[in-house]
Amino acid sequence: MARTAARRAGDLLAPPAPVRLGDVVPAPEQVLPDPAADFTLSPGTAIRVSAGGRDVAVQLAEWLRPATGFPLPVADSPAADGSSAADGLLVLTLSETAPADPPSVDATASVDAAAPVEVAGVAGAGGAAGAAGAAGAAGAAGAAGAAGGDGAAGAASELGDEGYRLDVTASGVRIIAATAAGLFHGAQTLRQLLPAAIDGTAPVTERWAVPGGSIVDRPRFPYRGAMLDVARHFFPVEDVLRVVDHLARYKLNHLHLHLTDDQGWRIAVDSWPRLAEVGGATEVGGGPGGYYTQADYRRIVAYAARRHVTVVPEIDLPGHTNAALVAYPELTPGKVAPPPYTGTEVGFSYVDPADERTYAFVADVVGEVAALTPGPWLHLGGDEAFKVPADTYRAFVERAQTLVAATGKTVVGWHQLAPAGHVDGRVLQWWGTNGDDPETAEAVRRGARLILSPGNRVYLDMKYAADTPIGHDWAGLIDVRRAYDWDPGTHLTGVPAEAVLGVEAPLWTESVTTLAEVEFMLFPRLPAVAELGWSPRSTHDWAGFRERLAAHGPRWAAAGITFHPSPDVPWPTPAAVPTQPTRDTTADTH
Ligand code: TNX
């Protein structure tokens, strides 16, 4: 007791926590800071978790132990009833029925449907917006704006599939959610509220302060993703797992793997073994290539699932299939194997749409991939089949869509699939560059939903600037502001926001060869896209975002993540900027 009192007194004298409650990326729906309620982790801090949340608690402990050096034991908590967080605890509560507004945590009392809120973007830009803003705004209409009209969550169930509530008081932290995914996102927020040194891999001396107050948070869109092209260059399992970690940090919940293309087939298919064995042995530039065994793929899927990331496998058809044709010449229209391809042109290859064996191949492949994939999606590609006449293309795609539907998966495809007939739930991934595509809008009217990946906004293989050492520029140069300053809800003419499932940032890898280069292209644009997918539109604010993002530079540096030191972002110190990959490449070939 005495020690606790002494610690409290010390905390009151201590400077405020270095991170402000509104500094989170992506910006939370509602933020109510209480600077008098900072909590500081100590060697005695423990984690308590209610049934069903244990794996999130274990992961939180794993994130916090290396830099703090604290033991952070995880124990089950019998109470899922909103009872008081005992002193020095991080309490994770998974409950559909517990109030999201636990009475024991002082700062939360005022956060309800009519409560003051502080939108993160405003807090980030405003500097001293903390207590005064929160207290002064009591009764203001902020909540409705921030929540997109929904008001605040009154109970955990209102937090939905992925939402959470986080309360920090001087005595502890509580995260409450209706699902493990929500709890996980809340835990990622808590991680970001600690000083940047938390991302280091060895113990450091630091005051591990968490800013006081409450956050209530839910995503704007259910689908928030990134794509990794493992076909142009192959990336080993460990690299993919690290990319999953990067996605999860920013509450992205889908990893689309572009598994097949002209230059390589990267997934083992038992019924057509030469696809991986022969088709996997090449990559752009003549390197050794590689492929995932089914065990490898399962490992990726399981690792991602633990982080609440769903893997979306893509088998690109009918074009982008040279590697498959090398392995199985009977799939080519001329029945003669083409030479292996290691260049970067697109649009020349296709499987024979006139041969029944092609459909047996498609059925076998999507059948095996579907069986390996717990998530609901299977991506059929469909882009750039330039050599296939429109009618033939459409008939092929319609059969392929039906074969995917027969596996129980929902069809996803690039927006070139638009003219084909609708199948239940079909999702088109729009990668155009002009925001105006009547054919896609028409497919939406026929029932399709959309994933937005505008090439000139979120193609992460585009260079940041003319002197970026890797990447393309066919869709323009994309620095951070360009990646951030658009609205997925209104981007495509004639497509209502309700038809937008979400956003995805693809990374094509013709010129990207190593994990460091992958990270360099992802950071800092990936968090910008994550914010578009997660945060209510009312928080959208470039000035605030760039400030919040800047504070992540030291986090990435501590975690050993390579990033582009974009001049768009006011990085805190040059020391936070790691060496960028220096390679003088690559011919642009789109
Ligand atoms: C277009 S976007 C492609 C890819 C290339 C990419 C390069 C799409 C569906 N197809 O095959 O890798 O451009 O930026």
Side-chain angles (χ1 to χ4, degrees), residues 21 61 133 138 155-156 174 197 209 220 226 236 291 312 326 374 384 399 438 458 487 505 540 584:
L21 198 67
R174 173 190 292 277
R220 179 180 181 197
Y291 66 88
V312 182
V326 173
E384 300 175 322
R399 276 188 79 172
V458 299
D487 182 358
H540 191 87
D584 193 16

Side-chain angles (χ1 to χ4, degrees), residues 37 110 131 148 297 347 425:
S110 55
Y297 178 81

Side-chain angles (χ1 to χ4, degrees), residues 229 232 258 261 314 316 320 344 346 383-384 414 416 431 459 461-462 472 474 506 508-510 590:
D229 169 10
R232 269 49 178 273
H258 183 75
D261 213 303
E314 178 184 351
D316 201 349
H320 288 274
T344 59
V346 297
D383 56 317
E384 300 175 322
W414 300 107
Q416 280 70 26
W431 60 281
Y459 258 36
D461 59 321
M462 294 301 127
H472 303 141
W474 66 261
W508 301 101
T509 60
E510 286 94 336
H590 186 76

Side-chain angles (χ1 to χ4, degrees), residues 38-246:
D38 290 359
F39 172 71
T40 303
L41 263 62
S42 72
T45 300
I47 302 177
R48 292 280 178 280
V49 62
S50 68
R54 190 174 177 91
D55 194 47
V56 175
V58 167
Q59 292 183 76
L60 175 63
E62 286 167 357
W63 299 334
L64 305 187
R65 279 178 193 139
T68 61
F70 300 159
L72 294 164
V74 175
D76 294 330
S77 131
D81 59 0
S83 65
S84 174
D87 209 19
L89 289 181
L90 312 180
V91 179
L92 273 52
T93 302
L94 184 62
S95 165
E96 285 193 21
T97 53
D101 196 8
S104 58
V105 185
D106 316 341
T108 65
S110 55
V111 178
D112 57 30
V117 290
E118 187 159 336
V119 174
V122 176
D150 292 335
S157 56
E158 292 176 31
L159 295 168
D161 289 346
E162 296 192 277
Y164 66 91
R165 173 180 183 118
L166 180 147
D167 297 297
V168 181
T169 68
S171 60
V173 177
R174 173 190 292 277
I175 304 172
I176 187 165
T179 64
L183 218 49
F184 182 82
H185 296 318
Q188 289 284 12
T189 292
L190 174 56
R191 189 184 185 189
Q192 285 191 24
L193 292 174
L194 283 154
I198 198 67
D199 282 306
T201 51
V204 288
T205 304
E206 176 76 68
R207 196 171 68 91
W208 299 109
V210 183
S214 295
I215 291 176
V216 180
D217 202 9
R218 280 173 296 197
R220 179 180 181 197
F221 294 109
Y223 187 108
R224 308 172 305 279
M227 187 204 80
L228 183 64
D229 169 10
V230 295
R232 269 49 178 273
H233 280 98
F234 179 67
F235 294 88
V237 172
E238 296 297 333
D239 291 359
V240 179
L241 303 187
R242 187 163 156 106
V243 169
V244 169
D245 285 331
H246 298 340

Side-chain angles (χ1 to χ4, degrees), residues 332-502:
T332 66
K335 310 302 166 197
V336 177
Y341 187 67
T342 60
T344 59
E345 295 299 327
V346 297
F348 57 90
S349 61
Y350 60 102
V351 291
D352 185 358
D355 190 327
E356 280 306 306
R357 275 176 296 182
T358 295
Y359 300 93
F361 155 80
V362 174
D364 289 344
V365 169
V366 300
E368 287 196 36
V369 171
L372 290 168
T373 302
W377 317 109
L378 206 154
H379 199 305
L380 262 183
D383 56 317
E384 300 175 322
F386 298 145
K387 297 265 173 73
V388 184
D391 286 357
T392 311
Y393 171 85
R394 199 178 136 159
F396 173 89
V397 164
E398 287 179 353
R399 276 188 79 172
Q401 289 185 157
T402 306
L403 292 170
V404 168
T407 70
K409 300 297 179 191
T410 299
V411 171
V412 188
W414 300 107
H415 71 265
Q416 280 70 26
L417 252 51
H422 186 67
V423 282
D424 214 21
R426 178 168 97 126
V427 175
L428 301 180
Q429 183 169 7
W430 193 79
W431 60 281
T433 54
N434 74 0
D436 189 17
D437 179 1
E439 230 171 21
T440 299
E442 170 56 24
V444 168
R445 276 189 287 280
R446 286 186 281 122
R449 287 170 298 167
L450 277 196
I451 295 169
L452 271 278
S453 301
N456 55 350
R457 296 290 186 171
V458 299
Y459 258 36
L460 299 186
D461 59 321
M462 294 301 127
K463 293 172 184 263
Y464 292 93
D467 62 355
T468 303
I470 52 177
H472 303 141
D473 61 9
W474 66 261
L477 302 171
I478 305 180
D479 211 334
V480 188
R481 181 167 193 170
R482 197 164 168 72
Y484 178 77
D485 253 345
W486 63 285
D487 182 358
T490 58
H491 189 73
L492 206 57
T493 309
V495 171
E498 305 81 72
V500 176
L501 198 60

